[in-house]
Amino acid sequence: LGLGVGIATGYATLGRIGFERRYEYAAIGNVVNLAARLSGAAGPGEILLSRRTHAAVEDSVVAEPVENLELKGFSRPVDAVRAIEMLP
């Protein structure tokens, strides 16, 4: 079993989606889609971060660029980074 992780930072809309008797609590928005697509693009044991997420944690993470990812639902290629290790 291989697990790949995608992390994106930004604004999302949270709330109940659906109708009476059939609804779910969910997050929707571009950042949610980006995190899901990064997760799908990540290989086993790999963590892909959006550029914005990397900017928030760059002092704590060693990372390498992953450029021009073609992700479904995004009209242009996405630049991300691959987390290599956490710094103490």
Side-chain angles (χ1 to χ4, degrees), residues 14-69:
L14 302 172
R16 288 184 357 180
I17 309 246
F19 53 91
E20 191 175 337
R21 294 188 187 153
R22 175 79 174 129
Y23 63 86
E24 297 179 17
Y25 193 79
I28 59 173
N30 193 49
V31 70
V32 177
N33 293 338
L34 178 56
R37 299 301 181 203
L38 288 172
S39 179
E46 189 173 51
I47 301 171
L48 295 180
L49 309 173
S50 69
R51 289 287 184 179
R52 188 171 181 182
T53 301
H54 181 247
V57 298
E58 67 184 333
D59 294 336
S60 303
V61 175
V62 175
E64 65 183 19
V66 178
E67 298 176 354
N68 299 319
L69 281 174

